[in-house]
Amino acid sequence: MSVYTLLNIEELDKLLHYYDIGNFVSIEGINEGITNSNFYLTTSKDKYILTIFEQPNLNLNYAFQLMDELSKNKIPCPIPIKTKKNEHIYNYKNKNLSIFTLLPGKTIKNITPSENMCKQIGEEIAKIHLLTKNFKKYNLGLRNIDWFKNIEKKLKPILESEEINIIKSEIKNAINCCNSNLPKGIIHSDLFRDNTMFEDEKLTGIIDFYYACNSYYLYDLAIIVNDWCLKNNMQIDLNKQNLLIESYNKIRKIENLEKKMWKKVLRHAALRFWLSRLHDKYFPTNGAITHQLDPNEFKLILLDRMNNSYSINI
């Protein structure tokens, strides 16, 4: 959602010839996020989101088919706009570019989620887990265990030995989580607050399915709780956690093994984003508008999850 690749009016006019969405009116870079270049695109017909994908290894066909499937089942997510040649992807300067419908509402990145918001997101992610049970595509995902190991190797010459030892130990925990018999299926895998849209505290959209993959469901819940139910001291707001999980459990029943593994899975989720932010800090991608998130935030979250006992009580 940062802007790494810029477009000019001449390029946009040429681009829109490949679509049937009207003539160019205006474009504005979206000053949020860290992965792709995103823009608000206004044409003579409507408003859209234009995305230039900066990572060449994204499984876009998987993500687009998943979004199509979810939108058909009334999950509020962006719909990819096809070109006149019936394609989802346009090649722009050797990068993939796509245009999507614009959902109503705004992200809540800088807003503390209310209890009602937490309940809604718990219910919606449970629906996603159930509705995709028959989705035929398979994607191991960009943030699988091999990625954890590779990032640890890249960071080893940079970090202090204490941090590397924590990372090594927690990778073992992540492997244990992935190899357990936890219920598995398709997960969003990145459902932070800035990947949702709200209007007057009503959930209007779930976005950014580019890290969606096949993994275990509880990982999705842990990623959400580590962001949505966070106190200022990085501990979990148990009331919000319980409301979110109770809402989820009404749609998809949480199994006993999942309850037993909760603390370990919270650590797996925290390690993922600590490593991701460390990588962005020491191996950054340059862009016109970019954001570098503080790795220390997720280090503190991980240490808290390691040192405190959190549980699911339903």
Side-chain angles (χ1 to χ4, degrees), residues 129-247:
H129 290 168
L130 288 183
L131 288 170
T132 54
K133 279 197 169 186
N134 296 320
F135 189 68
K136 302 301 182 184
K137 300 294 181 180
Y138 185 88
N139 181 25
L140 188 59
L142 294 177
R143 299 293 185 258
N144 55 55
I145 291 298
D146 286 342
W147 175 85
F148 281 69
K149 293 176 180 177
N150 289 335
I151 299 301
E152 184 267 326
K153 288 179 182 177
K154 290 180 72 173
L155 292 171
K156 190 172 181 179
I158 298 170
L159 301 181
E160 298 291 335
S161 59
E162 180 184 359
E163 290 186 320
I164 288 296
N165 288 337
I166 292 173
I167 291 169
K168 285 183 176 180
S169 175
E170 288 304 305
I171 286 176
K172 291 179 181 178
N173 172 70
I175 292 171
N176 176 253
C177 291
C178 293
N179 290 342
S180 66
N181 292 319
L182 291 166
K184 295 176 174 66
I186 293 171
I187 67 170
H188 183 284
S189 184
D190 195 28
L191 198 45
F192 277 55
R193 286 167 288 161
D194 61 350
N195 283 332
T196 59
M197 312 290 286
F198 279 84
E199 200 168 51
D200 297 326
E201 287 211 7
K202 177 178 173 55
L203 180 66
T204 57
I206 293 176
I207 63 175
D208 204 344
F209 284 83
Y210 310 117
Y211 289 95
C213 62
N214 294 72
S215 187
Y216 63 97
Y217 295 130
L218 201 64
Y219 189 40
D220 241 358
L221 271 177
I223 289 169
I224 295 168
V225 166
N226 276 344
D227 180 62
W228 289 67
C229 307
L230 200 62
K231 293 182 179 180
N232 290 334
N233 62 1
M234 301 304 165
Q235 293 182 351
I236 292 176
D237 183 320
L238 294 178
N239 188 49
K240 286 184 177 179
Q241 173 196 281
N242 294 340
L243 288 170
L244 192 154
I245 289 177
E246 286 170 7
S247 180

Side-chain angles (χ1 to χ4, degrees), residues 230-296:
L230 200 62
K231 293 182 179 180
N232 290 334
N233 62 1
M234 301 304 165
Q235 293 182 351
I236 292 176
D237 183 320
L238 294 178
N239 188 49
K240 286 184 177 179
Q241 173 196 281
N242 294 340
L243 288 170
L244 192 154
I245 289 177
E246 286 170 7
S247 180
Y248 179 94
N249 190 62
K250 290 177 182 178
I251 306 296
R252 188 191 79 82
K253 295 295 181 183
I254 294 174
E255 299 182 4
N256 287 331
L257 178 60
E258 293 178 291
K259 297 176 187 178
K260 292 178 182 177
M261 293 286 288
W262 181 235
K263 176 178 175 175
K264 292 183 177 181
V265 176
L266 286 168
R267 288 160 49 195
H268 180 192
L271 176 66
R272 144 103 176 265
F273 292 97
W274 183 32
L275 290 179
S276 179
R277 292 186 180 189
L278 284 169
H279 184 270
D280 289 342
K281 177 180 179 179
Y282 293 110
F283 307 97
T285 301
N286 294 322
I289 305 172
T290 58
H291 289 280
Q292 190 178 99
L293 301 174
D294 182 12
N296 195 53

